[in-house]
């Protein structure tokens, strides 16, 4: 056992992990992963384990990653690791925060309890909290830290466009816009969204003068992308030419990103919480400030 902390990264989050280790001035080591033909994961960890480890991996496409996290943490503990800090800029299963239909499992609660049983600290960015307001109400660890990408997104918008009108597609997006506007004073409107199915949404926007405005759709995440696509299509049909999207978590399942670009959106800006071609905002600075080694 040695005492210099390490950052343990994973191949799918390599650049972000390396950047974070550099800012923390600690060594970066990477877990080796192998997927067996039957879908099981083989994980190889460093042989020498320090007493403090920062695990840096977003939990998008989560099912395999959760199992790999469980095995990794158990192994680290067995080797004597005393303090495990999980940096997961995207936290999975946050949207299933109630049983929408009788019998549905409240996944948010159980992911929270799982992480609480594994690690000592959790640091994440813009978790999708709606009915449950605070991360600490889901994850019971020594330190559960919720960071906001809103200041970084707001700064990017102010650098990229000159006359922004921010549009939140639904009531839940209002919280992100309000956080952006703690530093800026952008005009904004918020729509009303009805979700008819996983890939079927209808967004109704309030009337607003958009001529000569740089219209920026802001949301915490794009998953199927339908929320942004539906809203963008309406705006383009009404003649909006300068249309942009700014999001924290670019999940963009399947062809969602290409479909969004095909609406006429000029640019999509995202943080590197999830590795994606739209990434242009690094979270490393706010994550490193939140880690006390
Ligand atoms: C929900 O309220 C979220 O803020 C997003 O609007 C939503 O998760 C986006 O999902 P999708 O891209 O599948 O429409």
């Amino acid at each position: 056992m040695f005492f210099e902390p390490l950052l343990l990264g994973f191949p799918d989050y390599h650049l972000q992990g390396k950047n974070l280790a550099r800012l923390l001035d600690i060594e970066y080591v990477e877990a080796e992963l192998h997927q067996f033909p039957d879908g099981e994961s083989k994980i190889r960890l460093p042989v020498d384990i320090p007493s403090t480890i920062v695990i840096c991996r977003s939990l998008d496409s989560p099912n395999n990653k959760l199992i790999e996290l469980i095995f990794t943490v158990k192994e680290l503990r067995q080797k004597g690791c005393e303090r495990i800090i999980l940096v997961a800029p995207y936290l999975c299963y946050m949207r299933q925060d109630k049983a929408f239909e009788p019998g549905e499992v409240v996944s948010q609660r159980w992911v929270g309890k799982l992480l609480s049983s594994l690690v000592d600290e959790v640091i994440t960015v813009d978790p999708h909290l709606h009915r449950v307001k605070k991360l600490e109400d889901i994850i019971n660890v020594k330190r559960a830290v919720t960071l906001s990408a809103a200041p970084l997104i707001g700064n990017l918008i102010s650098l990229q466009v000159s006359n922004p009108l921010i549009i939140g597609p639904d009531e839940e997006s209002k919280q992100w816009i309000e956080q952006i506007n703690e530093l800026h004073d952008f005009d904004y409107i918020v729509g009303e969204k009805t979700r008819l199915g996983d890939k079927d949404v209808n967004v109704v926007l309030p009337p607003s003068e958009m001529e000569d405005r740089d219209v920026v759709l802001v949301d915490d995440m794009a998953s199927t992308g339908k929320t942004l696509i539906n809203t963008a299509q309406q705006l383009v049909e009404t003649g909006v030419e300068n249309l942009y999207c700014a999001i924290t978590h670019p999940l963009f399942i399947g062809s969602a990103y290409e479909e969004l670009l095909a609406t006429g959106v000029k640019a999509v800006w995202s943080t590197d919480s999830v590795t994606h071609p739209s990434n242009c905002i690094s979270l490393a600075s706010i994550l490193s400030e939140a880690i006390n080694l």
Side-chain angles (χ1 to χ4, degrees):
M1 177 73 38
F2 59 103
F3 294 99
E4 285 299 309
L6 281 183
L7 188 142
L8 178 67
F10 285 79
D12 48 89
Y13 213 56
H14 174 89
L15 279 181
Q16 293 92 328
K18 279 200 132 175
N19 268 339
L20 185 56
R22 188 174 43 80
L23 291 188
L24 291 170
D25 199 18
I26 61 175
E27 191 184 340
Y28 174 84
V29 289
E30 193 163 290
E32 279 177 37
L33 293 181
H34 174 73
Q35 199 93 51
F36 289 110
D38 62 1
E40 292 181 358
S41 298
K42 181 170 80 173
I43 309 158
R44 189 162 174 222
L45 300 175
V47 176
D48 293 323
I49 298 297
S51 57
T52 298
I53 279 221
V54 179
I55 298 179
C56 179
R57 194 183 200 188
S58 253
L59 294 173
D60 55 303
S61 303
N63 293 356
N64 277 0
K65 290 180 186 171
L66 283 174
I67 246 325
E68 287 160 5
L69 180 68
I70 294 169
F71 294 164
T72 298
V73 169
K74 298 279 182 198
E75 190 75 20
L76 294 174
R77 294 285 191 209
Q78 200 188 38
K79 287 184 169 155
C81 190
E82 285 165 5
R83 182 178 175 211
I84 300 180
I85 303 166
L86 174 66
V87 177
Y90 178 72
L91 209 50
C92 55
Y93 287 111
M94 291 296 106
R95 286 172 290 177
Q96 187 72 25
D97 61 357
K98 71 168 194 172
F100 295 90
E101 302 285 343
E104 280 183 6
V105 170
V106 184
S107 316
Q108 185 196 63
R109 178 184 304 147
W110 302 119
V111 159
K113 288 207 184 286
L114 173 68
L115 297 181
S116 310
S117 72
L118 288 175
V119 300
D120 303 293
E121 297 172 44
V122 174
I123 296 173
T124 190
V125 180
D126 294 339
H128 189 93
L129 300 178
H130 179 41
R131 277 158 283 263
V132 176
K133 298 292 175 210
K134 293 199 304 278
L135 191 64
E136 300 91 301
D137 295 339
I138 314 165
I139 302 180
N140 182 17
V141 287
K142 282 186 198 125
R143 251 181 110 227
V145 180
T146 301
L147 301 173
S148 172
L152 299 174
I153 289 177
N155 287 345
L156 184 97
I157 292 171
S158 68
L159 289 172
Q160 293 286 337
V161 297
S162 52
N163 188 19
L165 170 69
I166 309 296
I167 297 186
D170 55 25
E171 189 56 31
E172 290 169 41
S173 61
K174 197 172 170 192
Q175 56 180 305
W176 320 116
I177 299 174
E178 284 173 347
Q179 287 178 38
I180 287 174
N181 269 356
E182 282 173 18
L183 291 176
H184 301 271
D185 193 19
F186 298 142
D187 295 336
Y188 74 89
I189 58 170
V190 173
E192 267 182 44
K193 178 168 82 181
T194 312
R195 186 170 282 282
L196 307 160
D198 283 348
K199 296 183 176 178
D200 192 6
V201 299
N202 186 38
V203 175
V204 178
L205 297 174
S208 179
E209 183 49 64
M210 297 188 197
E211 207 177 329
D212 299 326
R213 301 302 299 264
D214 296 311
V215 176
V216 186
L217 300 182
V218 168
D219 208 351
D220 61 334
M221 72 174 87
S223 178
T224 67
K226 296 299 180 195
T227 301
L228 294 176
I229 292 166
N230 182 287
T231 315
Q233 279 167 341
Q234 293 181 42
L235 293 166
V236 170
E237 276 165 24
T238 58
V240 171
E241 287 180 1
N242 296 328
L243 182 56
Y244 307 86
C245 297
I247 50 172
T248 306
H249 306 297
L251 299 178
F252 284 118
I253 308 304
S255 59
Y257 184 53
E258 289 71 24
E259 287 173 46
L260 179 59
L261 292 177
T263 61
V265 162
K266 282 190 167 172
V268 180
W269 303 309
S270 69
T271 78
D272 60 2
S273 76
V274 176
T275 306
H276 188 264
S278 61
N279 292 168
C280 59
I281 302 168
S282 167
L283 294 171
S285 58
I286 60 170
L287 292 171
S288 67
E289 281 165 21
I291 297 170
N292 305 325
L293 288 176

